[in-house]
Amino acid sequence: MISKADWEEVPGTIDSDSDEKLFFSVHEWDTIDAAASRIIPTDADPGAHEAGVIVFIDRYLSGIEFNFATAAGGGFLQMAGKDAVAARARNANMQRLYRGGVKELDRIAGELGQQSFKSASADVQDQVLEQLSGSPKPAPISLDSREVFHSRLQGNTDDGMPFFPTLCLHVRQGFYADPVYGGNKGQVGWRVIGFPGPKCLRDTMDGTYSTAEYFVQEYDWSELIPGFKASGG
C-alpha cells in the first residue's frame, strides 16, 4: 500500500481570481456562484462571491489533483493506488450531485416564473433555496446570541449528503479554508470574523503558527454547553 508520504508532489497554485472553468460549464459556474452568494451574502462585509468560493468548489469538483496541498503550500499531493481509485469514484458522485443540483435550482426557479435561478432576484433565489432545503431562511445571529448550536452545523464531511447541505458545507469551506485551495481570497473570510490566520500554510505545519491563544483557557462546561449538567455529562 502506498502511504501519503509517498504521494508525488506537483508544484502549482490556484489563482482565486481565475474564471477558468475546470469542471463547471458557464451556466453551472454562474448558478453555483449565485447560490453561494445567498448562503454567505455580500453586505457590509464581503461574501462568498468576493471570497472566490466558486473557484474553490470548481477545483474541488474538477478531479482529485487539488485535494491535498503540500505542507509548504506550493503544490499539491497526488493520490496514488487504491486511495486514488476511491477518491475518483467519490469525485464522480460529487460531480453528479452538483449537476443534478443545478438542474433542481433551475426547475424550482421555473416553477416560480423565472427563466433560471441565476437570473432571478435575490428574494426569489432565497425562496428557491427554502424550497430546496425544506427549511425557512435562517434569521441573522450575532456573537451575543443565546441559543443552542448543534455540532451538525459544523459538518466536516460531504459523504452521502444531499445537495443543499453539501453546498452549504462547501461554501463555508471555501470561505474559511486556507487560501491555498482557491477560496478565502486574500484571507477575506478570516478578516470578516477578525481572525488573523497564518501568513502561509507552512506556518501551520512547522509550529510557527498556533491557535492556542484563541481557546478559552479557563471555563465551565455548563456555561459552554447549555444542558450539559442536565444530560449527565
Side-chain angles (χ1 to χ4, degrees), residues 80-118:
K82 293 182 179 179
D83 291 313
V85 173
R88 289 192 182 95
R90 181 174 170 278
N91 182 261
N93 290 334
M94 195 59 62
Q95 290 177 342
R96 285 192 288 272
L97 184 70
Y98 263 84
R99 291 246 145 89
V102 170
K103 291 179 180 177
E104 186 66 3
L105 289 171
D106 283 339
R107 184 191 68 77
I108 298 173
E111 290 181 350
L112 296 175
Q114 307 300 307
Q115 185 176 5
S116 66
F117 177 83
K118 69 176 186 179

Side-chain angles (χ1 to χ4, degrees), residues 71-184:
F76 292 88
L77 298 174
Q78 303 304 299
M79 283 183 274
K82 293 182 179 179
D83 291 313
V85 173
R88 289 192 182 95
R90 181 174 170 278
N91 182 261
N93 290 334
M94 195 59 62
Q95 290 177 342
R96 285 192 288 272
L97 184 70
Y98 263 84
R99 291 246 145 89
V102 170
K103 291 179 180 177
E104 186 66 3
L105 289 171
D106 283 339
R107 184 191 68 77
I108 298 173
E111 290 181 350
L112 296 175
Q114 307 300 307
Q115 185 176 5
S116 66
F117 177 83
K118 69 176 186 179
S119 63
S121 67
D123 287 341
V124 173
Q125 289 177 346
D126 286 348
Q127 292 178 43
V128 173
L129 294 178
E130 286 182 327
Q131 288 194 31
L132 182 67
S133 67
S135 301
K137 180 180 177 180
I141 61 171
S142 61
L143 291 176
D144 58 355
S145 296
R146 299 291 296 177
E147 59 181 288
V148 177
F149 293 96
H150 300 283
S151 59
R152 60 184 171 82
L153 294 177
Q154 303 298 326
N156 55 16
T157 178
D158 51 21
D159 282 338
M161 293 200 305
F163 172 64
F164 183 72
T166 298
L167 176 62
C168 290
L169 174 61
H170 291 169
V171 170
R172 292 198 299 271
Q173 291 175 332
F175 196 74
Y176 295 114
D178 193 282
V180 73
Y181 291 102
N184 193 10

Side-chain angles (χ1 to χ4, degrees), residues 1-64:
M1 179 176 179
I2 300 175
S3 72
K4 191 174 182 180
D6 296 323
W7 291 353
E8 180 186 4
E9 293 187 14
V10 174
T13 58
I14 297 177
D15 179 6
S16 58
D17 285 320
S18 174
D19 60 359
E20 181 183 12
K21 287 83 175 167
L22 299 188
F23 167 70
F24 288 130
S25 67
V26 173
H27 177 75
E28 291 168 341
W29 175 287
D30 293 343
T31 300
I32 295 300
D33 186 35
S37 297
R38 298 312 307 152
I39 295 170
I40 302 182
T42 305
D43 46 30
D45 293 307
H49 178 76
E50 290 76 19
V53 166
I54 186 61
V55 177
F56 168 86
I57 297 176
D58 180 76
R59 271 45 176 179
Y60 175 64
L61 294 175
S62 68
I64 63 173

